[in-house]
Amino acid sequence: MKEHRFKWMVLTLLFSPFLFACTVRKQTEYSFSGYQYSAPTEQACRTFIESTKSVYRLSTYVTYQTWYYLPGSISSTAKGEELFTEAVVNRKQSSESFMGTATVIYSEGRKFLLITAAHVLDFQDTIIRYYEQDGERTGIYSVSVKQEQVNYLRDIPGGGNVRVIDSDAKSDVALCYGWVGEGITIPEELEQGWGVVKDIKSGNIAMIAGYPIGYRNYSRANVSLYGVDADKGFMIDAGFNRGYSGGLVSAWSIPDQKWHWIGIITSAPSTSDFMVVPAGQHGVTRYMPDQPYNGPLFISTQSQMAYGLTFVSPINTIRDLIKRNEKRIQELGFLFKNLDNR
């Protein structure tokens, strides 16, 4: 009897570490949530490309009428009708253009809603330039007044006319609407879930879609938070170029196993330096390189982007802007419910 007890005791001692190890393993199992940290699979990349047919090139064309004045002919404090008098010595029309990226988030009938970066569509209504001497304004050199601004999707026949509903300069997000004529295919809307900002973490892998320098581009990037969380924004290690503003940023959701829209590209960090430059004359854009310049000099600010880092405005700022304008959107004839909770 004692011998049997001894055998059972030996067997128990032999198996107890194994049982203990199994118990510990069970306790350390993880339930993964949030967004993926590893590179997306080939199939996931293909899915991303298919789901971003709603990303379009957005172009803006603005015309200005400009009035010019001789030195001392008009006070630097003049305004209103005082500006448009016989003091005007010349007048001409000029234009400016800008290019960015926009994402169509909803379509209905011939109309659609889209999101882009606010600065893509932000052109001043009035621009006043001054004569200066010893750092003091001595008079008005010119006054430019915006005559027309045309916003359109370049990949839509007829342009897909675009108008701004509302924008938030702080988060650099604009909510717009557009429409197309009869016989023209309505732009496709985004086929992705809307992200959860609290799930965005440093190290997540993001995919971006946009039109840098006007060419459609897809790229992969790493997410970095510059605050406690992504609520105020985050960065990705992607190169920023003209045309990327408003570009779509998405991450792969582990629980849903699909892409979530987590924000839009807004800008890149930059540095500014003061430089001495020729004062020049308005309308003169180049100096003879083989001759010394003896004219007056100005101090100019030169900005240089830090390529390789890009700021992103997170999905919660987009939701907030939409929610703030629900009534206005419905007045425009859109019949939707809970668009911001997709």
Side-chain angles (χ1 to χ4, degrees), residues 210-259:
Y211 287 88
I213 326 178
Y215 296 98
R216 189 171 182 87
N217 182 68
Y218 304 99
S219 185
R220 191 174 68 200
N222 295 287
V223 171
S224 294
L225 304 186
Y226 53 78
V228 177
D229 51 39
D231 188 62
K232 302 298 181 183
F234 58 92
M235 290 190 300
I236 53 176
D237 61 347
F240 182 89
N241 288 284
R242 174 186 168 91
Y244 240 149
S245 297
L248 182 91
V249 182
S250 304
W252 183 262
S253 170
I254 296 174
D256 294 351
Q257 288 294 290
K258 67 179 182 180
W259 291 103

Side-chain angles (χ1 to χ4, degrees), residues 1-9:
M1 198 67 180
K2 286 183 179 179
E3 187 179 345
H4 287 299
R5 279 185 195 160
F6 179 74
K7 287 180 180 177
W8 279 110
M9 192 179 293

Side-chain angles (χ1 to χ4, degrees), residues 42-153:
E42 181 179 343
Q43 183 56 44
C45 290
R46 291 179 184 275
T47 304
F48 176 78
I49 293 172
E50 285 297 315
S51 68
T52 55
K53 292 179 179 178
S54 58
V55 179
Y56 293 90
R57 282 185 292 180
L58 176 63
S59 294
T60 301
Y61 183 80
V62 182
T63 57
Y64 283 95
Q65 188 76 30
T66 303
W67 291 262
Y68 296 90
Y69 309 88
L70 291 173
S73 64
I74 190 166
S75 169
S76 61
T77 59
K79 60 180 67 174
E81 293 182 358
E82 298 174 353
L83 296 170
F84 308 105
T85 63
E86 295 179 356
V88 175
V89 293
N90 193 12
R91 185 174 67 178
K92 72 173 186 178
Q93 194 169 47
S94 60
S95 63
E96 293 184 34
S97 62
F98 201 85
M99 176 176 56
T101 301
T103 299
V104 174
I105 60 172
Y106 182 78
S107 61
E108 183 179 319
R110 315 306 305 170
K111 307 183 298 294
F112 53 91
L113 295 172
L114 63 158
I115 293 289
T116 188
H119 71 266
V120 173
L121 305 172
D122 184 20
F123 286 81
Q124 291 178 267
D125 291 330
T126 304
I127 302 170
I128 301 178
R129 299 178 180 88
Y130 299 91
Y131 289 106
E132 292 188 2
Q133 184 174 356
D134 299 327
E136 298 290 332
R137 292 176 177 175
T138 58
I140 293 177
Y141 169 75
S142 67
V143 176
S144 300
V145 178
K146 184 165 66 175
Q147 303 294 296
E148 184 182 24
Q149 179 169 340
V150 179
N151 313 312
Y152 59 98
L153 300 180

Side-chain angles (χ1 to χ4, degrees), residues 206-316:
M207 289 288 289
I208 57 180
Y211 287 88
I213 326 178
Y215 296 98
R216 189 171 182 87
N217 182 68
Y218 304 99
S219 185
R220 191 174 68 200
N222 295 287
V223 171
S224 294
L225 304 186
Y226 53 78
V228 177
D229 51 39
D231 188 62
K232 302 298 181 183
F234 58 92
M235 290 190 300
I236 53 176
D237 61 347
F240 182 89
N241 288 284
R242 174 186 168 91
Y244 240 149
S245 297
L248 182 91
V249 182
S250 304
W252 183 262
S253 170
I254 296 174
D256 294 351
Q257 288 294 290
K258 67 179 182 180
W259 291 103
H260 278 190
W261 180 27
I262 61 172
I264 63 168
I265 291 172
T266 54
S267 61
S270 63
T271 56
S272 296
D273 295 307
F274 291 106
M275 300 184 69
V276 177
V277 297
Q281 297 178 3
H282 293 276
V284 177
T285 59
R286 194 172 79 178
Y287 294 96
M288 300 297 290
D290 57 344
Q291 296 182 13
Y293 176 76
N294 298 316
L297 299 174
F298 278 175
I299 301 296
S300 175
T301 303
Q302 299 284 332
S303 297
Q304 185 173 3
M305 285 192 297
Y307 287 98
L309 288 176
T310 299
F311 289 118
V312 177
S313 194
I315 190 66
N316 59 301

